[in-house]
């Protein structure tokens, strides 16, 4: 609770303080630092790589621009291209507020996001996000509509550079979610996650070397409720890759708890000059999560998830000031390995114990491995300024190796895939009072070397095999093409603030003629 209170106050301060300062003055500078306009804010968030790392102290090395931005967004998505534990269609309403401000000699960036989601035809899940990694999910065959709410607060604080040598930082995030399904059996899920990452950066002229430590804590409770106890429901206690044990749910309520803790660390290297910028970031994270049922008013262990993550990214930027051009190259590698340990417990009702006692354990039952190699190139064309661009062209590629297996039952899904994306974006300044941004993107995904095998748990019950395992394999191994477009229009007000509206549209179509359509519209205020 102490960490939650600290992060809450820091995030709220990040949002409210820029509003208060902006109300006092909206000149070109604030506390000696430039105030960013809309396109400048976009470019700052793209080019300041420490914003996407866990090392907040590195923000002390860059340009400290101040900005505030709030927006409301509506999203709609529909189509038959979706994984079985995802919604066939959804409506999302979002509110976000984000700001950056110089507080004395400290630089603070943070924000708040709220989302209310209405999801249709979600199957085989009793938790808010069935694809977050755990194989231990209670599933039912009825499916149904979900209503969800999520709240996300985050903040990054960078100290000044002390003795021209070292700076310190703190990265914090608090995420809270809740949701429920509308028909029996009715899961009601609540989750909260907190992450804290203190960091430091050593500076030696143009070079910098940083490090960070991170801790994350996750909790989720899922209460499955049966209103019509006269109509018992078959439920599946999933264990990974379609394997399960089953039960007949006929009581009023069944509760499952998830508790996880993770630790990690990272190392960063940076180099900055007038013509080149280099940023290298390497991260390792370890996470363990327990899944417990509450039976006889006592926790009963069902399984334990072990997760290891390795992440690396390298960014190299080249500036050509004579031609107002910036070349940005990037490469990255992500690897995630998960394994599930199944735990069988029996209840010892003796007065000395009166608890669930472990009878046996089996490690490495569910094993998932995912590796990604990424590379990208961005070309920025400027027009008399280095704080926002006129044109941006992007080419990005990704290779993925995916393995999901349950070895003891000889069940597995394996494939390799590649994704290529081409993007073009144009910023217009119209008569100094109006802004226009137009973006187009096309992408293609190809899959090869895909293999799928499933050994059924119950030969007479094909529900999991046909509607979960085979359906998921069909979606994950699809080749597809996707087109996206967005338009943003903004109007600069007399006090140098900007009111803007944005709309976007995307269409995805697969080789088997599956499709997905996404539409969004938002209004915002940048100040």
């Amino acid at each position: 609770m102490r960490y939650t209170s600290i992060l809450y106050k820091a995030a709220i301060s990040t949002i409210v303080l820029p509003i208060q300062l902006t109300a006092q003055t909206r000149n070109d500078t604030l506390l000696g630092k430039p105030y960013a306009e809309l396109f400048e804010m976009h470019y700052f968030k793209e080019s300041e790589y420490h914003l996407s790392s866990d090392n907040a102290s590195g923000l002390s090395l860059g340009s400290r621009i101040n900005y505030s931005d709030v927006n409301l967004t509506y999203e709609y998505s529909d189509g038959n291209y979706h994984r079985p534990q995802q919604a066939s269609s959804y409506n999302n309403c979002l509110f976000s507020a984000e700001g950056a401000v110089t507080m004395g000699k400290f630089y603070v960036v943070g924000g708040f996001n709220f989302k209310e989601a209405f999801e249709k035809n979600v199957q085989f899940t009793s938790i808010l996000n069935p694809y977050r990694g755990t194989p231990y999910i209670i599933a039912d065959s009825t499916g149904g509509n979900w209503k969800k709410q999520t709240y996300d607060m985050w903040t990054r604080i960078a100290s000044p550079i002390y003795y021209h040598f070292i700076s310190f930082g703190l990265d914090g995030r608090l995420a809270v979610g809740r949701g429920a399904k509308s028909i029996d059996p009715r899961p009601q899920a609540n989750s909260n996650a907190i992450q804290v990452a203190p960091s430091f950066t050593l500076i030696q002229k143009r070079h910098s070397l940083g490090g960070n430590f991170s801790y994350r804590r996750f909790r989720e409770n899922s209460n499955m409720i049966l209103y019509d106890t006269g109509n018992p429901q078959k439920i599946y206690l999933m264990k990974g890759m379609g394997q399960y044990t089953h039960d007949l749910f006929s009581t009023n309520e069944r509760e499952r708890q998830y508790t996880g803790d993770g630790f990690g660390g990272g190392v960063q290297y940076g180099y900055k000059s007038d013509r080149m910028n280099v940023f290298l970031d390497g991260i390792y994270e370890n996470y363990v999560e327990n899944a417990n049922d509450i039976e006889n008013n006592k926790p009963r262990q069902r399984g334990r998830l072990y997760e290891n993550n390795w992440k690396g990214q390298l960014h190299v930027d080249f500036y050509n000031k004579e031609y107002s051009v910036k070349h940005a190259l990037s490469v990255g590698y992500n690897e995630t390995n998960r394994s599930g340990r199944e735990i069988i417990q029996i209840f010892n009702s003796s007065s000395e114990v009166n608890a669930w006692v472990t009878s046996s354990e089996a490690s490495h039952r569910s094993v998932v491995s995912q590796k990604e190699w990424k590379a990208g190139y961005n070309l920025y064309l400027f027009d008399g300024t280095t704080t926002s661009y006129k044109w941006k062209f992007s080419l990005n590629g990704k290779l993925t190796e995916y393995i999901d297996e349950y070895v003891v039952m000889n069940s597995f899904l394996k494939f390799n895939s590649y994704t290529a994306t081409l993007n073009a974006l144009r910023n217009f300044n119209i008569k100094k009072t109006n802004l226009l941004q137009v973006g187009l993107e096309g992408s293609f995904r190809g899959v090869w070397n895909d293999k799928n095998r499933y050994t059924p748990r119950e030969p007479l019950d094909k529900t999991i095999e046909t509607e979960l395992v085979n359906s998921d394999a069909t979606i994950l191994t699809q080749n597809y093409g996707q087109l996206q477009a967005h338009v943003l229009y903004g109007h600069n007000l007399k006090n140098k603030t900007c009111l803007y509206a944005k709309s976007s549209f995307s269409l995805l179509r697969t080789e088997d003629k599956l499709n997905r359509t996404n539409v969004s519209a938002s209004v915002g205020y940048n100040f």
Side-chain angles (χ1 to χ4, degrees):
M1 292 298 295
R2 182 181 179 187
Y3 285 128
T4 301
S5 177
I6 292 173
L7 289 177
Y8 176 81
K9 293 178 181 178
I12 294 299
S13 299
T14 303
I15 302 168
V16 174
L17 189 58
I19 297 175
Q20 295 174 336
L21 293 174
T22 305
Q24 299 173 11
T25 177
R26 189 60 171 95
N27 297 321
D28 289 338
T29 59
L30 178 65
L31 299 178
K33 302 298 180 183
Y35 227 107
E37 296 182 351
L38 185 62
F39 289 164
E40 294 173 335
M41 180 191 72
H42 291 172
Y43 179 59
F44 170 74
K45 293 167 69 174
E46 292 177 22
S47 58
E48 183 50 71
Y49 299 123
H50 279 96
L51 284 174
S52 61
S53 78
D54 289 338
N55 190 325
S57 66
L59 293 172
S60 61
L61 304 176
S63 56
R64 295 188 175 191
I65 69 170
N66 299 306
Y67 66 88
S68 299
D69 187 81
V70 295
N71 70 74
L72 293 168
T73 302
Y74 169 76
E75 298 175 339
Y76 173 74
S77 179
D78 189 23
N80 53 10
Y81 179 79
H82 66 92
R83 300 180 70 177
Q85 292 169 289
Q86 293 176 329
S88 62
S89 66
Y90 62 78
N91 296 271
N92 293 340
C93 299
L94 303 95
F95 169 78
S96 66
E98 184 177 334
V101 64
T102 301
M103 301 172 61
K105 295 183 179 181
F106 287 80
Y107 188 52
V108 183
V109 184
F112 170 80
N113 302 298
F114 167 77
K115 180 173 76 171
E116 186 160 25
F118 302 88
E119 302 180 352
K120 292 185 177 181
N121 302 321
V122 180
Q123 294 183 300
F124 304 112
T125 183
S126 57
I127 61 177
L128 295 175
N129 180 10
Y131 294 109
R132 63 176 172 80
T134 179
Y136 305 111
I137 299 174
I138 299 178
D140 65 87
S141 60
T142 61
N145 301 338
W146 279 72
K147 181 180 178 180
K148 301 177 182 179
Q149 289 183 343
T150 57
Y151 310 81
D152 187 11
M153 291 183 291
W154 59 275
T155 186
R156 295 171 181 268
I157 304 172
S159 77
I161 299 175
Y162 296 106
Y163 308 107
H164 306 285
F165 175 67
I166 189 171
S167 65
F168 300 95
L170 179 65
D171 187 319
R173 182 177 294 272
L174 171 66
V176 178
R178 63 179 183 176
K181 196 180 76 167
S182 58
I183 63 174
D184 279 351
R186 305 171 188 240
Q188 296 181 354
N190 296 274
S191 70
N192 66 83
I194 185 171
Q195 180 168 336
V196 179
S199 58
F200 71 92
T201 298
L202 305 175
I203 301 100
Q204 181 62 38
K205 296 182 179 179
R206 298 183 183 275
H207 301 270
S208 63
L209 181 64
N212 69 272
F213 168 81
S214 65
Y215 167 74
R216 65 169 169 143
R217 172 186 179 272
F218 177 81
R219 300 290 185 267
E220 183 169 12
N221 279 19
S222 176
N223 294 322
M224 185 170 282
I225 299 174
L226 188 67
Y227 285 163
D228 185 5
T229 55
N231 184 21
Q233 301 277 345
K234 183 177 181 178
I235 57 175
Y236 305 90
L237 282 64
M238 307 303 299
K239 301 188 293 182
M241 195 50 216
Q243 300 301 317
Y244 62 89
T245 58
H246 59 87
D247 199 357
L248 191 65
F249 182 34
S250 58
T251 58
N252 291 327
E253 185 174 352
R254 185 185 187 112
E255 182 179 0
R256 174 162 289 189
Q257 297 179 347
Y258 301 88
T259 59
D261 294 275
F263 298 88
V267 177
Q268 300 81 29
Y269 167 77
Y271 172 83
K272 284 192 175 184
S273 69
D274 293 338
R275 293 185 174 274
M276 188 171 71
N277 178 32
V278 177
F279 179 72
L280 177 63
D281 186 16
I283 297 173
Y284 169 74
E285 296 173 332
N286 175 273
Y287 178 71
V288 179
E289 180 179 297
N290 293 299
N292 300 328
D293 287 342
I294 305 302
E295 299 182 15
N296 297 324
N297 294 318
K298 303 289 184 180
R300 179 183 182 181
Q301 295 186 47
R302 290 291 189 174
R304 184 175 298 124
L305 168 70
Y306 297 90
E307 180 178 286
N308 290 282
N309 295 305
W310 290 267
K311 303 176 184 178
Q313 58 176 334
L314 171 65
H315 297 274
V316 182
D317 300 342
F318 298 96
Y319 304 93
N320 189 324
K321 295 185 177 181
E322 291 81 0
Y323 296 97
S324 299
V325 172
K326 173 184 170 181
H327 305 274
L329 305 174
S330 64
V331 293
Y333 174 75
N334 296 332
E335 180 177 343
T336 299
N337 293 314
R338 299 186 180 102
S339 66
R341 174 184 289 268
E342 294 176 15
I343 302 173
I344 298 176
Q345 292 192 319
I346 58 175
F347 190 73
N348 187 331
S349 59
S350 66
S351 58
E352 294 83 5
V353 180
N354 191 31
W356 290 95
V357 179
T358 299
S359 172
S360 63
E361 297 188 20
S363 62
H364 293 89
R365 290 297 197 184
S366 171
V367 179
V368 179
S369 173
Q370 181 168 329
K371 300 176 182 178
E372 294 181 342
W373 296 263
K374 301 177 182 180
Y377 169 70
N378 293 328
L379 173 64
Y380 295 89
L381 303 179
F382 300 90
D383 187 15
T385 177
T386 58
T387 57
S388 64
Y389 52 84
K390 185 177 181 180
W391 281 97
K392 176 188 172 184
F393 300 96
S394 302
L395 177 62
N396 295 284
K398 181 175 70 173
L399 295 175
T400 301
E401 177 187 275
Y402 182 84
I403 301 174
D404 184 355
E405 55 187 345
Y406 197 95
V407 179
V408 71
M409 294 294 289
N410 195 26
S411 297
F412 56 83
L413 171 63
K414 304 177 183 180
F415 67 87
N416 297 87
S417 69
Y418 68 89
T419 304
T421 304
L422 182 63
N423 177 284
L425 189 147
R426 176 70 159 92
N427 288 331
F428 298 90
N429 287 285
I430 306 172
K431 296 182 179 180
K432 296 184 179 181
T433 58
N434 298 314
L435 306 173
L436 179 65
Q437 183 182 87
V438 179
L440 295 173
E441 181 176 292
S443 60
F444 179 81
R445 178 179 187 257
V447 178
W448 79 96
N449 198 29
D450 53 304
K451 302 175 182 178
N452 182 27
R453 178 184 173 87
Y454 177 67
T455 302
R457 173 67 174 81
E458 296 178 279
L460 297 180
D461 186 348
K462 300 290 186 179
T463 303
I464 296 298
E465 179 180 3
T466 59
E467 298 181 27
L468 178 59
V469 177
N470 292 344
S471 295
D472 199 34
T474 298
I475 295 297
L476 290 176
T477 57
Q478 286 285 306
N479 300 324
Y480 66 72
Q482 185 174 24
L483 293 175
Q484 301 182 62
H486 80 263
V487 177
L488 180 150
Y489 177 80
H491 177 69
N492 291 322
L493 304 178
K494 291 183 179 180
N495 58 354
K496 298 186 178 180
T497 62
C498 181
L499 185 66
Y500 65 90
K502 181 180 179 180
S503 63
S504 64
F505 172 83
S506 71
L507 176 64
L508 181 149
R509 190 172 179 85
T510 75
E511 60 180 340
D512 292 338
K513 298 183 180 180
L514 304 176
N515 64 81
R516 192 81 190 170
T517 301
N518 300 291
V519 179
S520 71
S522 63
V523 293
Y525 183 51
N526 180 258
F527 56 99

